Amino acid sequence: MFSPQGPSLRELAVQALSSVERGYDLLAPKFDHTPFRTPDGVLDATAIALRPLGPFGRGLDVCCGTGAGMRTLEPLCRERITGVDFSAGMLARARDSHPNAGWVQADVRALPFAGAFDLAVTFGALGHLLPAERPAVFAGVHRALRSGGLFAFPVGGPQPIASIGYWTALGFDAAMRVRNAVWRPPFVMYYRTCPLSALQDDLKAVGFTVTTLPLACLGRRSDGSPRHRLVLARKG
């Protein structure tokens, strides 16, 4: 599927019937050859938007996967950068790609850091969290940052109801809800549980000051709205 180096349909089916952790352990060797990996264009646009706000000291990639977010952290951080994820398979791939970075296996709902980082980022991971789990994750990131530290992540703008993307996401989420209702263990992956307003409310509730920036280099929709925004959550 996706490319000659990507997973087969059978491999994707086995992953989809596994838990989130086991599924990503299985997918890890071929993950970078799937559309699930955050595109370099989004990573680079994030780095461009963050550059005027730095430089930063230590950096943290939350739910780092195979380490794609290091592409953003490396040019921005003057000190050690670290990735955290709960999948041993994904971390093994990340270590191979970025041997000089630090890697920690942990559940992001209970991050094991306190006052250690100046910049935290995350890419493409929020759909793996149920809305009720986000406050614990955001509180953990807040705790992991030093005073004045920044938590940043890109979010896509809402899809127009007449667009293919809107109905594709709606259909995918519906299929996942049916799957999780009839099969255990659950595989949490939803596209429509992270509206910007809800993310902002959850971030503010744990103590962040929140603003957003349009990622203009990623284009605009026909109505003039940006396709992507960068959420900037500052620890006061």
Side-chain angles (χ1 to χ4, degrees), residues 127-147:
H128 290 303
L129 302 169
L130 295 172
E133 296 173 322
R134 281 199 305 260
V137 176
F138 290 168
V141 175
H142 189 274
R143 186 173 59 252
L145 290 170
R146 295 169 178 159
S147 180

Side-chain angles (χ1 to χ4, degrees), residues 126 153-157 194-196 199 212 215 226-231:
L126 297 180
F153 54 89
V155 295
C194 302
L196 179 57
L199 296 174
T212 67
L215 294 175
R227 293 186 179 277
H228 292 80
R229 287 185 173 273
L230 187 65
V231 176

